[in-house]
Amino acid sequence: MNKKSIIPLIVSFFFVTTIHARQWTLQDCIDYALKNNISLLKTQIQKKSSHEDVLQSQAALLPTLSGSTSQNLTYRPWPQEGSSSVQNGYVQSSIDKVYYNGSYGMNANWVLWNGNQNRDQIKLNKITEEQASLDSAQIANQLQEQIAQLYVQILYTTEAIKVNKESAVTSKKNEERGKTMVEVGKMSKAELSQLTAQRAQDEFTVVDQESNLRNFKRQLKQLLQITDEEEFDVVVPTTTDEMALQAIPALQNVYTAALNHRPEIQNAMLGLKSSDLSIKMAKAGKLPTVSANGSFTTNTTSMSENAWGTQLKNNFNLGGGVSVSIPILDNRRTRTAVNKAELQKLSYALDLQDKKTSLYSTIENYWLQAENNQQKFKAAKISTQSAQTSYDLLSEQFRLGLKNIVELMTGKDNLLRAQQNELQSKYLAIYNIDMLKFYQDGSMK
């Protein structure tokens, strides 16, 4: 194989390796999901559909124009010879058993005023379009929250696997030490079996955590709508203690800021605005409707001696006028429409209050979790240091025969538990603080 054939293979290898080695940051996941998530794409379709309703209601302000024609063939078995007949208002000079008639017309109608219902409908459709846009923004926010939650789960599980692997290595060393002590008669085989069981349990925990990690990645891929077999992995950023111990945003400040930009709140407020328009349009049902209309018609027949063009000209009619429709009795339709619109406004007001309550509860939960996990992290750090010191001492005393196997295993379990608690509280503190910032300014970091 010459150099010219080797170089493309090397380039192809590195290209494929680069593709399969791609690691996703949190921002990569969010950007990709916002472009590809099916639930989000469906809301964007609904927004476009709402825009079509706006265009339709705007076009309704213009006149309507329609054309019509009819072509008829008639058979008269017993025509009256020597007499004239009248067809469509015109005298026909010839009498035939079979004859042909044609009529042509154009009609225009323009609603000049209907209590401003047509203009209010435009405003209502624009609000509906804006609500559809806010629905899309709300789904996008929910999607970002779900991605962030899974991303943190992946980061925590990745770190937990490292801790459990270190624990498994320690268990393996203890087991090897136990075998040596059995050989010199300082430990019984029953005690060695306990060390072996602990080593096996630690290895099982690592496998179980790795399975959880793969499951969290699968769930994240599902949110991103990724269905290929390409290796999926995320970037594990450096997390510091300062990130977990940073200042927690004030609860009331976050809630006040969220009220001004959260799409679910804005959507509910638009619901109130649309209900006011619905009430106004329902009340307009009591008002007259003024319309202008115009038309022209003409017709032809085969029983006329005049040419076709001449008939069109001679039979041409042009008319126009204004009509006024005044509702007097409508079987309570208007009153019912007004009452239902007012009830709908009350429902929207309750929805708004409910969403404000739900928003406050969500923010408060993140704030409480941030406070609790921050305090837990501070305590867990001290606990881990203490457990590590204690285990190191127990391990040395066990080597010297001053401590038994039960005390050693208890010390190791305490250390592992303290390490896991520290990791969990650290990541949860960071996550909840970042979620508070997300609700405060709308950006996921």
Side-chain angles (χ1 to χ4, degrees):
M1 184 179 291
N2 56 36
K3 292 183 179 180
K4 291 184 178 180
S5 61
I6 293 176
I7 291 175
L9 288 176
I10 295 176
V11 173
S12 175
F13 171 78
F14 279 104
F15 177 74
V16 172
T17 303
T18 302
I19 291 177
H20 286 275
R22 177 184 179 183
Q23 291 185 317
W24 296 69
T25 65
L26 175 60
Q27 192 60 51
D28 289 336
C29 293
I30 290 174
D31 292 341
Y32 188 89
L34 293 180
K35 293 179 181 179
N36 297 278
N37 184 265
I38 291 177
S39 296
L40 187 57
L41 292 176
K42 285 184 176 181
T43 62
Q44 294 172 0
I45 293 174
Q46 183 59 44
K47 178 184 175 182
K48 293 179 180 179
S49 177
S50 299
H51 182 65
E52 291 297 321
D53 291 335
V54 173
L55 297 178
Q56 174 62 46
S57 58
Q58 290 174 335
L61 296 177
L62 303 175
T64 60
L65 181 64
S66 62
S68 63
T69 181
S70 65
Q71 309 297 320
N72 301 290
L73 189 65
T74 304
Y75 172 65
R76 181 180 295 176
W78 300 287
Q80 298 179 12
E81 298 294 338
S83 63
S84 300
S85 65
V86 179
Q87 185 71 21
N88 294 327
Y90 297 94
V91 177
Q92 298 171 340
S93 56
S94 66
I95 303 298
D96 302 321
K97 285 188 175 184
V98 179
Y99 61 92
Y100 172 83
N101 291 324
S103 64
Y104 312 88
M106 294 287 287
N107 295 278
N109 188 69
W110 187 11
V111 177
L112 301 177
W113 190 78
N114 63 348
N116 281 331
Q117 291 185 68
N118 46 6
R119 289 171 175 78
D120 288 337
Q121 186 64 52
I122 296 175
K123 297 176 183 178
L124 186 61
N125 288 342
K126 286 183 177 180
I127 290 177
T128 302
E129 180 184 13
E130 191 173 352
Q131 286 181 306
S133 179
L134 290 172
D135 286 337
S136 181
Q138 186 175 348
I139 294 295
N141 281 347
Q142 293 173 355
L143 187 60
Q144 291 183 72
E145 288 189 52
Q146 291 174 323
I147 290 173
Q149 185 178 17
L150 285 171
Y151 200 88
V152 170
Q153 287 279 13
I154 291 172
L155 299 183
Y156 164 71
T157 306
T158 301
E159 293 296 323
I161 289 174
K162 293 179 181 179
V163 171
N164 283 298
K165 283 184 176 180
E166 292 175 359
S167 179
V169 170
T170 301
S171 295
K172 181 66 176 178
K173 290 180 180 179
N174 287 340
E175 183 185 19
E176 295 299 328
R177 184 189 301 172
K179 290 179 180 179
T180 303
M181 295 176 71
V182 168
E183 291 176 357
V184 298
K186 289 185 177 182
M187 180 185 290
S188 66
K189 291 184 178 180
E191 290 176 318
L192 175 61
S193 67
Q194 295 182 54
L195 291 176
T196 301
Q198 186 176 56
R199 186 262 306 164
Q201 179 60 45
D202 286 347
E203 291 176 349
F204 174 84
T205 302
V206 170
V207 174
D208 187 55
Q209 290 281 6
E210 288 176 341
S211 176
N212 290 337
L213 179 61
R214 288 193 294 271
N215 187 47
F216 289 137
K217 289 181 180 179
R218 177 195 63 78
Q219 294 179 53
L220 184 54
K221 285 179 66 176
Q222 183 180 5
L223 284 178
L224 303 185
Q225 307 293 160
I226 296 177
T227 56
D228 56 44
E229 296 181 358
E230 179 182 333
E231 183 66 24
F232 181 86
D233 204 357
V234 302
V235 175
V236 180
T238 302
T239 55
T240 63
D241 293 352
E242 288 73 19
M243 295 171 66
L245 298 174
Q246 63 182 299
I248 299 173
L251 171 60
Q252 195 60 42
N253 290 344
V254 176
Y255 176 65
T256 301
L259 287 176
N260 294 326
H261 71 82
R262 289 293 294 187
E264 61 268 32
I265 301 300
Q266 295 179 350
N267 203 328
M269 294 177 67
L270 283 177
L272 284 174
K273 187 175 180 180
S274 68
S275 63
D276 288 334
L277 280 173
S278 296
I279 293 173
K280 184 179 178 182
M281 292 172 64
K283 291 181 177 179
K286 300 177 181 179
L287 303 176
T289 298
V290 181
S291 303
N293 58 79
S295 66
F296 74 81
T297 60
T298 185
N299 55 69
T300 61
T301 179
S302 61
M303 292 197 296
S304 174
E305 295 178 350
N306 294 330
W308 187 79
T310 303
Q311 292 185 59
L312 288 177
K313 178 181 177 182
N314 293 341
N315 298 339
F316 182 84
N317 291 309
L318 180 64
V322 176
S323 63
V324 179
S325 175
I326 303 174
I328 299 175
L329 295 175
D330 63 354
N331 302 106
R332 206 180 180 274
R333 282 194 295 270
T334 301
R335 182 70 263 170
T336 299
V338 172
N339 290 344
K340 292 181 72 173
E342 290 175 345
L343 290 173
Q344 185 62 50
K345 182 178 181 179
L346 292 175
S347 179
Y348 278 128
L350 292 175
D351 284 344
L352 175 60
Q353 186 59 42
D354 182 58
K355 289 182 179 180
K356 285 183 177 180
T357 303
S358 178
L359 177 63
Y360 184 86
S361 179
T362 300
I363 294 173
E364 185 179 29
N365 180 62
Y366 282 129
W367 186 84
L368 289 173
Q369 292 295 324
E371 286 278 354
N372 292 339
N373 284 287
Q374 197 173 77
Q375 296 303 317
K376 286 181 179 180
F377 177 63
K378 293 177 183 179
K381 281 183 63 65
I382 298 173
S383 177
T384 301
Q385 294 171 359
S386 176
Q388 184 67 60
T389 302
S390 176
Y391 178 72
D392 291 342
L393 181 60
L394 281 170
S395 182
E396 179 63 21
Q397 290 175 330
F398 176 74
R399 186 183 68 81
L400 297 174
L402 301 176
K403 295 291 183 181
N404 59 40
I405 187 66
V406 175
E407 291 173 307
L408 178 67
M409 293 175 65
T410 301
K412 183 177 177 301
D413 289 341
N414 290 338
L415 174 59
L416 180 59
R417 189 180 304 110
Q419 291 173 327
Q420 291 175 335
N421 288 340
E422 180 181 348
L423 268 181
Q424 186 179 46
S425 58
K426 177 182 179 179
Y427 275 101
L428 285 177
I430 295 173
Y431 168 71
N432 285 285
I433 291 173
D434 284 347
M435 291 309 300
L436 286 172
K437 293 180 178 179
F438 174 61
Y439 273 76
Q440 188 170 27
D441 58 28
S443 61
M444 181 70 71
K445 299 179 182 178

